[in-house]
Amino acid sequence: MKFKFDSEQEYQVDAVESVVGLFDGQAFVRNQLTVPNGASFQVVPNRLDLTPDQLLANLQKVQDERGLDQDDKLETLTAKVETLRGEEDIAFPNFSVEMETGTGKTYVYIRTALRLYETYGLRKFIIVVPSVAVREGVKKTLEVTKPHFDKLFGKPPYHNSVYQSADKKKNSASQQVGGFALSDGVEIMVMTIDAFKRDDNVIKQSREGLDPPIYQLQETRPVLILDEPQNMESDLSVSALASLNPICALRYSATHRNAYNVVYRLTPFDAYRQGLVKRIEVASVVQQDNENLPFVRVEELNATKRTVSAKLSVHKLMATGKIQEKPITVRSGDSLVEKTGRAEYEGFVVDEINPGSGFIRFANNQELALGGEQGSDRDAIFEAQIAFTIEEHFRRQRRLKEHGIKVLSLFFIDKVDNYAPDDGKLKLMYVKAFDEIKQRYDEWKDVKAADVQKAYFATKTKKTGETEALDSTGKTKQDDEAFNLIMREKERLLSFDEPVAFVFSHSALREGWDNPNVFQICTMREVGSDTERRQQVGRGVRLPVNQDGDRIQDEQINVLTVIASETYERFVAGLQSEIAQEYGKEGVPPPPPNQRKRKTIKLRKQFLLKPEFKELWEKIKHKTRYSVQIDTAKLVADTVAELDEATISKPRITVSKANIRVDEAEDFFEPIVLSGARTAVDLAGRYPLPNLIEVMESLMENTSPPMRLSRRTLLEVFKRTSKRDEATENPHDFAVTAVNILKSKLADQMVKGIKYEKDGTWFEQSQFSEEIPTWEDYFVPSVETGGVGGTHIYDGVRWDSEGIEKQFVLDLEKRADVRLYIKLPDWFAVDTPIGRYCPDWAVVMDDPANGRENLYLVRETKGTLELGELRPDEKAKIKCGRRHFRDALGVSYKVVTNSSELPDGGV
């Protein structure tokens, strides 16, 4: 099977012609053998006749044609370099082509080189890559595209080579460079940046009195093609690139760190919308309703001059009683019990944070590496991920066999020791799942799991003669060999004659490693750091090919399934975030209202002297205390009755699937649910039973509002409920459910019989801030115009709800019968059994109808007058507010939806 290439792909042609357009006006360079002054060698060089101003004009024209922002200068990189003439400052312009992974950027830049030769006679090109892995991928593409380009360009004098510095044979570098420099045809040389980055590189050494080979390269004035240039941004790398004395650098990547003078852009969203890559769906394999173990994941370890800290993800107790995964920052001595509000973290006190060695240790001797986690049932998640991937593979291969498409599945793991040994747990999980699932698929029943999998790990031979699998880092020869194997044999992997269909590796972040027929990517980790989602997805987004090497354009077929150990919402949000970092503001949803425009609201001190304000304040300033009565027997009975009807979910591993869709109007990914969560692994009963009464007591006191009940009452609830079996299966979920019901029933009793009375204290006028910071977008000015408006005690109002509060303020400012009003500050709060209640507004109005000069009101603004439609806590607080203001203070209190209900409307 041979790969086939389509020369009519419009987006690829546009990318090629954008670069060709940069050199518009350049005269055709004829081959001319020259001897540089003082040199012991000859070269056939490139030549650039255009001035920087002409290049800039061409750049701006190309950018205008492509709908890109126009740059006002050429982006050049400069470094001091040793040359034939001594030390020189070498400056070279840079131009960037942004193309999404899987859309053929290697094909594009090879074709670009041939077009530059065809149009302008430029003939010396050096492709610089960040690693041996990428170098081998480029080499492979050069090989498989040569027949295609020979046909497209009429067999140009086109030769490619790979510079091998590691060989270090005598004169080897000189011979390679000499052949490149003296050729009068198109020469494309592939080099790793490390081959010429250091002073001791072979290419920079003199031999037998001859000039260093790099001097000969410099005199050819090559066009540099930088593949994945974001990995070549260091000062040392820039200096190395300058040492080649290039005419310019053409930078190709999907993930530019610095996009110098962009001439073409194909974003992930463009590629997705145009069907140039596979569509993506995410199968989310996650733990649900299982907060029974203390969960910790180490996200970052940081060191500054003064302190060291760690960023952890933990399960934090929220005010609602729910547990949510949240990031926290800790330092030495911090207690996770205090940080999370959960007694389950007893013993997790930070003992040592060691960024250098990459670990954090707690007082209970638990030690976690960077990226490590504990407290989740990772093995159960691994089992579910592997089983889902295998079944998805079988289903998809059955569908695509008739199309001549072989399906590959790729597993990314973080530790070779989890797979490489015969008893590696992931290997055993794979074999077990394969043998179970294949029984449902006749075409796989006689296939052995070992025969259809291949693991690409580095190995080394020990002194005993045994081979040992290594954790690849991308820095060793063995690591390079592991990656080269899959790239050099792509055609064989794609053939039905090759049984291997499941590929295991551990290094997800290596550019240059992909295969068009990867349809499933299973991303597993145990204690490794998070892998970047874009890099993971990039390994499988290329459009698939059939047995004839033809690209498949069917969007029903072209779907990549990522089996991830996180929710699809988090996966998509992470993917979006990574794109946002790469593209700046492009590729992200619209920002919130313009928060850069700050505004300061100022107190009108003279308003505090007005009789209306003084009278209003005298009426509403008083603080109160409340008393309640509790019927414990009724509380227990009501709680048990509702608890017995509640659903206590079992802890479990679930799988759900969502398709990733690109919004048509905005560059924004969003998940579209394809299937609801189904249980893959039941975790019920796997965990030790805690002291449930202590857990319930802690939840009562540490969730909002904090409440206390005797242990006897809590125990009575547990004794009388029919949910005791569920409590043993999922103790934490039982405790949260029971406590929420208890608090609700307790609040109902307290609010129903609550009584307020003045306690002899009050709020002071001096508590009003002279200035309140806000944003201009959340500000309504209070300006007096013709005796109407300007009646707030500040010169403006900060609103919290555009639909209700903002309109309420705008309406009050237009009413002539409003003498004065206050948006009551947060410190003006009423104590209630279910937490502090902060009323919204105090208003002074004319009241001629009742023969009074002024009417003093306290009003709450809500979207409805039906209190039953409000949240239980909102409704309860309103009832308490009514008792406080109306019964204890004698002030009119109501709920309104708009200002037209003043003074007598509302409830």
Side-chain angles (χ1 to χ4, degrees):
M1 186 263 281
K2 293 183 178 180
F3 291 111
K4 297 179 181 178
F5 300 92
D6 181 2
S7 62
E8 302 300 322
Q9 296 265 28
E10 184 178 356
Y11 74 96
Q12 293 180 341
V13 174
D14 288 345
V16 172
E17 295 307 312
S18 293
V19 175
V20 173
L22 287 171
F23 300 94
D24 188 30
Q26 165 71 30
F28 192 89
V29 180
R30 303 294 174 184
N31 66 67
Q32 182 176 359
L33 190 65
T34 63
V35 180
N37 290 335
S40 59
F41 53 77
Q42 297 175 309
V43 298
V44 176
N46 282 334
R47 188 184 76 241
L48 181 64
D49 301 323
L50 300 178
T51 67
D53 286 344
Q54 289 173 313
L55 268 178
L56 177 60
N58 285 343
L59 168 67
Q60 293 172 336
K61 181 181 178 183
V62 169
Q63 289 175 329
D64 181 58
E65 290 171 349
R66 298 297 172 208
L68 300 168
D69 292 338
Q70 289 191 352
D71 292 319
D72 57 6
K73 65 177 182 179
L74 292 179
E75 296 280 1
T76 57
L77 295 177
T78 306
K80 285 189 179 299
V81 172
E82 287 292 334
T83 71
L84 188 65
R85 291 163 291 280
E87 190 173 71
E88 294 184 72
D89 285 324
I90 301 295
F92 58 99
N94 288 255
F95 305 100
S96 298
V97 175
E98 294 183 358
M99 293 183 68
E100 174 61 350
T101 300
T103 58
K105 64 178 172 60
T106 310
Y107 170 93
V108 164
Y109 64 62
I110 297 171
R111 182 168 172 174
T112 299
L114 296 175
R115 277 285 288 127
L116 290 175
Y117 170 74
E118 179 182 64
T119 310
Y120 306 114
L122 298 175
R123 65 193 69 224
K124 300 298 168 69
F125 301 89
I126 298 178
I127 301 173
V128 185
V129 298
S131 68
V132 172
V134 180
R135 184 190 73 191
E136 292 302 320
V138 175
K139 178 184 175 184
K140 183 71 176 180
T141 304
L142 284 164
E143 292 172 0
V144 300
T145 57
K146 193 169 194 313
H148 168 77
F149 287 134
D150 281 348
K151 182 178 179 181
L152 184 63
F153 289 96
K155 290 193 174 182
Y158 158 33
H159 174 258
N160 67 79
S161 60
V162 175
Y163 176 78
Q164 300 278 7
S165 64
D167 191 357
K168 294 190 177 180
K169 292 179 180 178
K170 187 176 182 180
N171 294 327
S172 174
S174 296
Q175 290 171 356
Q176 292 181 71
V177 170
F180 175 88
L182 290 169
S183 170
D184 62 359
V186 182
E187 287 288 332
I188 300 177
M189 179 185 285
V190 187
M191 304 178 75
T192 62
I193 186 74
D194 288 337
F196 61 99
K197 184 162 48 172
R198 300 185 307 276
D199 290 338
D200 62 353
N201 286 126
V202 173
I203 200 170
K204 295 184 178 180
Q205 306 303 311
S206 298
R207 288 180 181 271
E208 300 177 358
L210 298 177
D211 292 314
I214 198 166
Y215 287 3
Q216 197 169 8
L217 277 188
Q218 291 171 355
E219 295 303 319
T220 67
R221 298 302 316 279
V223 173
L224 296 189
I225 296 173
L226 309 185
D227 194 326
E228 308 295 352
Q230 68 274 12
N231 297 315
M232 296 177 268
E233 297 279 6
S234 68
D235 291 343
L236 188 58
S237 293
V238 171
S239 179
L241 296 174
S243 75
L244 298 177
N245 192 26
I247 283 177
C248 66
L250 306 177
R251 310 166 72 90
Y252 289 81
S253 179
T255 55
H256 286 285
R257 184 182 302 171
N258 295 306
Y260 303 97
N261 293 147
V262 178
V263 297
Y264 181 79
R265 173 173 287 151
L266 179 73
T267 71
F269 309 103
D270 296 331
Y272 212 77
R273 290 190 188 100
Q274 296 174 35
L276 305 179
V277 293
K278 292 190 185 92
R279 291 185 294 114
I280 303 166
E281 62 183 24
V282 181
S284 175
V285 182
V286 295
Q287 217 169 218
Q288 286 198 351
D289 297 308
N290 188 23
E291 285 79 35
N292 297 291
L293 298 174
F295 169 80
V296 183
R297 183 169 63 241
V298 185
E299 306 287 1
E300 297 176 9
L301 298 172
N302 302 307
T304 64
K305 290 183 179 180
R306 297 184 178 181
T307 185
V308 293
S309 63
K311 182 180 178 182
L312 309 177
S313 286
V314 295
H315 283 169
K316 190 172 183 179
L317 178 63
M318 309 305 290
T320 59
K322 294 293 184 181
I323 301 296
Q324 290 186 12
E325 184 177 320
K326 292 287 185 180
I328 62 171
T329 298
V330 297
R331 295 176 176 81
S332 182
D334 283 350
S335 167
L336 296 197
V337 171
E338 296 177 3
K339 289 281 188 176
T340 64
R342 300 187 64 202
E344 288 86 346
Y345 284 91
E346 186 67 38
F348 281 87
V349 177
V350 179
D351 185 37
E352 180 181 353
I353 300 172
N354 193 322
S357 300
F359 71 85
I360 181 173
R361 185 169 55 243
F362 298 94
N364 59 4
N365 288 325
Q366 288 275 0
E367 188 173 297
L368 293 174
L370 176 63
E373 69 178 52
Q374 77 101 54
S376 60
D377 202 326
R378 299 303 302 169
D379 284 357
I381 292 175
F382 287 161
E383 290 174 17
Q385 284 185 279
I386 291 171
F388 185 91
T389 303
I390 292 171
E391 181 119 39
E392 191 77 0
H393 183 110
F394 288 173
R395 286 195 293 254
R396 185 165 269 149
Q397 184 61 85
R398 177 176 283 181
R399 293 196 303 269
L400 300 189
K401 184 71 178 283
E402 64 180 271
H403 298 280
I405 300 171
K406 179 182 175 182
V407 172
L408 299 177
S409 289
L410 191 56
F411 294 84
F412 285 129
I413 65 174
D414 70 314
K415 288 183 71 68
V416 175
D417 285 344
N418 289 339
Y419 189 88
D422 290 339
D423 61 349
K425 66 180 181 181
L426 296 182
K427 180 177 289 182
L428 296 178
M429 289 178 189
Y430 160 73
V431 172
K432 179 176 181 290
F434 188 95
D435 289 344
E436 289 177 356
I437 297 170
K438 75 178 185 179
Q439 302 304 321
R440 302 194 289 272
Y441 296 84
D442 291 341
E443 62 271 37
W444 292 91
K445 279 185 178 180
D446 297 327
V447 177
K448 294 181 179 179
D451 293 342
V452 293
Q453 66 82 36
K454 185 71 174 178
Y456 291 89
F457 302 133
T459 61
K460 71 175 181 181
T461 303
K462 297 166 36 174
K463 292 181 180 180
T464 60
E466 299 177 78
T467 58
E468 177 186 7
L470 302 177
D471 283 350
S472 303
T473 63
K475 299 179 181 178
T476 66
K477 180 181 178 182
Q478 293 97 329
D479 189 53
D480 294 332
E481 291 170 354
F483 284 99
N484 292 345
L485 182 58
I486 189 172
M487 289 184 288
R488 287 172 173 168
E489 300 183 359
K490 280 185 180 180
E491 294 96 336
R492 182 165 71 86
L493 272 176
L494 294 173
S495 170
F496 284 128
D497 295 332
E498 169 55 55
V500 171
F502 297 91
V503 179
F504 285 79
S505 187
H506 87 289
S507 189
L509 302 181
R510 296 300 300 271
E511 298 93 345
W513 186 16
D514 60 29
N515 192 295
N517 285 20
V518 169
F519 283 90
Q520 287 78 229
I521 294 180
C522 181
T523 62
M524 298 181 289
R525 68 176 190 274
E526 186 176 22
V527 294
S529 60
D530 281 331
T531 53
E532 295 183 17
R533 295 162 186 83
R534 275 204 81 194
Q535 291 286 0
Q536 291 176 347
V537 169
R539 309 288 65 82
V541 295
R542 196 176 299 274
L543 295 183
V545 298
N546 61 21
Q547 296 299 291
D548 295 324
D550 296 318
R551 294 282 175 188
I552 305 301
Q553 301 291 336
D554 188 339
E555 67 174 23
Q556 298 301 315
I557 291 175
N558 298 342
V559 178
L560 171 68
T561 303
V562 180
I563 299 91
S565 57
E566 59 184 340
T567 65
Y568 51 76
E569 294 95 343
R570 180 174 174 179
F571 183 92
V572 174
L575 188 64
Q576 185 75 28
S577 176
E578 288 166 18
I579 293 172
Q581 292 174 24
E582 292 152 11
Y583 284 85
K585 292 183 179 180
E586 191 168 328
V588 296
N594 191 350
Q595 296 187 359
R596 291 173 297 179
K597 295 183 179 179
R598 292 184 174 274
K599 182 72 177 178
T600 299
I601 302 174
K602 296 182 179 180
L603 179 67
R604 292 163 161 164
K605 294 182 181 179
Q606 69 274 19
F607 275 43
L608 304 185
L609 302 177
K610 286 189 173 186
E612 297 94 330
F613 174 82
K614 289 183 176 181
E615 182 64 23
L616 171 67
W617 195 247
E618 187 58 35
K619 288 180 177 294
I620 68 173
K621 71 178 183 180
H622 300 282
K623 297 181 181 180
T624 58
R625 55 173 171 260
Y626 64 84
S627 58
V628 295
Q629 291 184 337
I630 302 299
D631 184 338
T632 303
K634 178 174 173 52
L635 174 65
V636 172
D638 291 348
T639 298
V640 169
E642 189 167 326
L643 180 58
D644 286 350
E645 297 297 322
T647 299
I648 310 295
S649 300
K650 291 182 179 182
R652 61 206 182 278
I653 305 297
T654 65
V655 181
S656 55
K657 189 187 287 187
N659 177 257
I660 298 180
R661 186 179 71 183
V662 172
D663 188 276
E664 289 299 323
E666 298 182 59
D667 285 349
F668 188 60
F669 282 129
E670 57 182 344
I672 306 299
V673 178
L674 298 177
S675 64
R678 63 174 180 82
T679 299
V681 181
D682 189 343
L683 302 176
R686 292 194 181 192
Y687 310 105
L689 186 66
N691 186 320
L692 270 173
I693 305 307
E694 288 184 359
V695 174
M696 292 170 66
E697 187 176 42
S698 175
L699 288 170
M700 289 290 297
E701 295 178 2
N702 293 302
T703 55
S704 181
M707 295 180 179
R708 298 196 67 179
L709 286 173
S710 69
R711 289 194 171 190
R712 179 180 298 177
T713 301
L714 298 176
L715 182 59
E716 188 65 23
V717 170
F718 180 71
K719 285 180 177 179
R720 293 175 56 179
T721 182
S722 62
K723 296 290 186 179
R724 289 190 294 278
D725 288 344
E726 287 88 337
T728 61
E729 292 176 340
N730 196 344
H732 181 80
D733 198 40
F734 170 85
V736 169
T737 304
V739 165
N740 285 342
I741 295 172
L742 267 170
K743 284 193 169 185
S744 176
K745 299 302 180 185
L746 188 58
D748 286 345
Q749 280 201 29
M750 289 190 292
V751 170
K752 186 175 182 180
I754 195 168
K755 293 182 179 179
Y756 280 93
E757 61 181 2
K758 293 179 182 179
D759 67 2
T761 63
W762 52 83
F763 296 104
E764 299 287 350
Q765 293 183 26
S766 59
Q767 292 180 254
F768 282 101
S769 301
E770 293 189 13
E771 294 183 346
I772 300 175
T774 186
W775 311 108
E776 191 169 292
D777 303 274
Y778 300 109
F779 168 77
V780 173
S782 179
V783 181
E784 188 170 358
T785 55
V788 177
T791 48
H792 194 262
I793 67 168
Y794 286 86
D795 62 4
V797 182
R798 180 180 63 191
W799 51 266
D800 299 320
S801 166
E802 185 168 18
I804 299 175
E805 282 200 356
K806 181 180 180 181
Q807 192 59 49
F808 190 75
V809 174
L810 291 172
D811 291 343
L812 289 186
E813 286 290 323
K814 297 174 184 176
R815 290 187 57 157
D817 58 350
V818 173
R819 306 291 298 276
L820 180 145
Y821 71 102
I822 308 170
K823 187 178 190 300
L824 292 166
D826 292 341
W827 49 261
F828 190 88
V830 178
D831 288 333
T832 81
I834 49 174
R836 298 170 73 249
Y837 164 58
C838 299
D840 287 338
W841 311 96
V843 185
V844 182
M845 299 185 68
D846 291 334
D847 191 22
N850 295 312
R852 294 181 296 184
E853 185 174 329
N854 294 322
L855 184 65
Y856 301 92
L857 316 172
V858 173
R859 292 294 183 262
E860 183 77 17
T861 45
K862 294 293 181 186
T864 178
L865 297 181
E866 296 293 331
L867 298 189
E869 296 178 7
L870 300 177
R871 295 196 318 267
D873 61 323
E874 286 184 304
K875 180 171 64 174
K877 286 181 179 181
I878 285 172
K879 290 180 178 179
C880 290
R882 185 178 290 133
R883 299 284 178 85
H884 166 84
F885 286 108
R886 187 189 64 189
D887 298 350
L889 305 187
V891 175
S892 173
Y893 173 92
K894 287 186 177 183
V895 177
V896 297
T897 58
N898 57 72
S899 70
S900 67
E901 293 165 352
L902 297 178
D904 297 324
V907 295

